[in-house]
Amino acid sequence: MHGPRWASRGRSLLRRSGRLLAALVSLCALVGAVRLVAPATAGPDDEPPGVARQLAFIRSALDEGAGDEAQGLFPEGYFFLHALYGLAEVELGMREPAGERADALREARWALGRLDSPAGRAPFSAELVPSYGVFHRGWTNWLRGGVLALQPAAERDPAEVRRLAADSAALAAAFDASESPYLEAYPGQAWPVDSTVAMASLRLHDTLLPPRYAGTADRWLRGVRERLDPRTGLLPHRADPATGAPAEVARGTSQSVIHRFLVDIDPDFAREQYLRFRDRYVGTPLGLGPAVREYPAGTDGPADVDSGPLPLGVSLSASVVTAGAAQVHGDTALAEGLTNHGELLGVPVDTPWTKRYAFGLLPIGDAFVAWSKTARPWVTDSPAPPPPALSWWWRLPLLTLLAVVAVLPWVPAAARRFRGRREAQAGDAVGFPAPEPRAG
């Protein structure tokens, strides 16, 4: 006697579960559509949405050992996670009035202390020139300059000023003594991106303290122009440590960082290089949104720890960092496009207190996103925008796809209702009672 009743309840439960699942799928599609069109950047002057909450998550993760975990993923993981956190704090602090920067200054100093610690120096060699290599010294010098830039000149810590002056002098002496414009980051290994960061830090020195290094920067630029990658006309990914001759084709992961800093060294050369990079590396694979290739269009190559996996030749890390480079160059359309695309694909989890991407599994990724969203020139004025290469309508295919995803779960139920009405109409036409609607 209970069989029909339980069967009816089972069918009712299945119907409700199906509706709930369909509603969840539709809600996710709607959220994705909102993320694709809602403002996710704020340019060089305003605070980007969600970044303060991102930094709250990153700091909590660092306190729980995320730096050590990042070190297990790649050789500079500990250093980079702390450096990017500190730099993003500086970027936010620069957007605040001078009297309201205490929190940003405290956090940036905390991160700088971690870079100068034994753990921060551990992967690097003290025997290099300058000691610990251009990667460590360049990024540290840039962050230290940022800490000083947050403070009025009269309120700066004299010890921090002396340290910036000393480290800048060591970097300049190494560049001046080198045949190559690209100093070693590790023994026998040189990456042009590292020297670009270091040279930008010398330009920053000259805006904060009495200028000393214009000649060093001019010589460096001449050396760079003479050693561009012949296949792309860009700075190479890797160079011969003795001569600076290109040793590997320009790649998206290093180019995205180079174009973040080159504008503060020579804006005209930076614009020329940026447009060349944008033309050869930025595309819309399958027509589904902007992304950055690891290798130039028409060329493929292996993935590595820097690039991550390369689906369709695209580097996710290069795409994230290029959003910051685009913002620095005034390329608003590309910066917004890459950031909105990341908001859709990055699966951000928002709470009133924190924001994290990919469920917070890789805080180093969150740090790159925060650093990119807060991008702005530190030395030069914001350049005039380049000709746009991306229109708003790139979103249309993805919005269409999301609309299909939102509607598709409801199609079976709608089809069943349609069939039920047709059967009922057929029964009325011949004078028979209408059949009971099918369950489910």
Side-chain angles (χ1 to χ4, degrees):
M1 292 179 63
H2 297 290
R5 180 182 301 172
W6 284 110
S8 176
R9 289 181 178 177
R11 289 192 295 269
S12 176
L13 180 60
L14 285 174
R15 283 196 299 271
R16 291 177 182 175
S17 299
R19 290 169 184 164
L20 178 60
L21 180 60
L24 288 174
V25 171
S26 297
L27 178 61
C28 289
L30 177 61
V31 170
V34 171
R35 288 173 176 166
L36 202 58
V37 300
T41 61
D45 299 317
D46 298 322
E47 182 175 327
V51 166
R53 287 180 289 119
Q54 271 189 270
L55 293 177
F57 161 68
I58 296 168
R59 177 57 196 265
S60 175
L62 285 169
D63 289 341
E64 294 173 2
D68 295 327
E69 293 174 5
Q71 187 63 32
L73 298 176
F74 61 102
E76 302 92 13
Y78 178 95
F79 183 96
F80 239 146
L81 183 51
H82 285 89
L84 295 175
Y85 172 74
L87 291 171
E89 286 285 359
V90 171
E91 298 275 13
L92 284 188
M94 288 180 175
R95 289 164 163 81
E96 297 290 343
E100 300 177 14
R101 298 175 175 178
D103 290 345
L105 183 59
R106 182 192 66 246
E107 292 303 304
R109 278 176 167 153
W110 176 84
L112 182 60
R114 297 306 185 272
L115 304 189
D116 262 340
S117 70
R121 294 190 294 266
F124 309 103
S125 172
E127 306 303 317
L128 292 174
V129 179
S131 59
Y132 300 105
V134 71
F135 178 96
H136 183 277
R137 294 295 284 272
W139 283 94
T140 303
N141 210 45
W142 181 255
L143 178 55
R144 182 170 285 108
V147 166
L148 291 175
L150 287 178
Q151 308 167 71
E155 298 177 12
R156 292 171 184 162
D157 183 338
E160 291 178 341
V161 173
R162 289 193 297 270
R163 181 66 185 277
L164 178 70
D167 283 5
S168 296
L171 279 167
F175 278 117
D176 290 341
S178 174
E179 177 184 343
S180 167
Y182 306 128
L183 304 179
E184 290 176 304
Y186 295 98
Q189 301 181 73
W191 287 267
V193 61
D194 302 329
S195 291
T196 304
V197 177
M199 188 54 61
S201 79
L202 296 185
R203 289 292 206 197
L204 181 59
H205 167 281
D206 283 3
T207 68
L208 297 169
L209 304 179
R212 295 184 56 188
Y213 302 117
T216 298
D218 290 343
R219 284 190 296 274
W220 184 82
L221 284 165
R222 287 197 298 272
V224 166
R225 288 180 181 273
E226 293 168 358
R227 295 167 174 84
L228 297 175
D229 167 31
R231 283 169 285 185
T232 62
L234 298 165
L235 276 70
H237 181 68
R238 190 167 47 86
D240 182 282
T243 66
E248 187 175 356
V249 68
R251 289 176 50 180
T253 43
S254 57
Q255 286 294 310
S256 59
V257 178
I258 285 170
H259 297 298
R260 177 73 180 265
F261 288 92
L262 198 58
V263 69
D264 279 324
I265 302 173
D266 185 314
D268 293 335
F269 181 52
R271 184 183 182 89
E272 169 194 319
Q273 287 281 294
Y274 174 74
L275 293 177
R276 188 180 290 270
F277 161 70
R278 192 179 72 173
D279 181 60
R280 289 161 175 76
Y281 289 79
V282 178
T284 52
L286 302 179
L288 296 179
V292 178
R293 293 182 54 85
E294 178 64 8
Y295 297 91
T299 304
D300 291 316
D304 60 20
V305 68
D306 291 327
S307 69
L310 298 177
L312 301 176
V314 166
S315 168
L316 298 181
S317 60
S319 298
V320 168
V321 179
T322 296
Q327 184 161 294
V328 162
H329 284 267
D331 193 352
T332 303
L334 182 57
E336 290 177 347
L338 288 168
T339 305
N340 278 129
H341 205 198
E343 290 294 308
L344 174 65
L345 300 180
V347 196
V349 177
D350 273 295
T351 75
W353 307 277
T354 64
K355 181 177 182 180
R356 64 195 74 186
Y357 290 82
F359 304 103
L361 296 176
L362 289 173
I364 186 71
D366 291 86
F368 273 113
V369 171
W371 183 57
S372 290
K373 286 188 175 184
T374 55
R376 57 184 290 160
W378 285 14
V379 175
T380 64
D381 294 330
S382 295
L390 188 70
S391 75
W392 191 95
W393 297 104
W394 68 264
R395 297 171 173 84
L396 188 58
L398 282 171
L399 289 172
T400 302
L401 180 61
L402 289 169
V404 170
V405 170
V407 171
L408 199 59
W410 302 99
V411 170
R416 285 193 296 270
R417 290 180 181 177
F418 178 75
R419 286 197 303 268
R421 292 194 186 100
R422 292 291 298 270
E423 290 170 357
Q425 291 170 356
D428 289 343
V430 298
F432 291 111
E436 292 291 332
R438 297 185 182 181

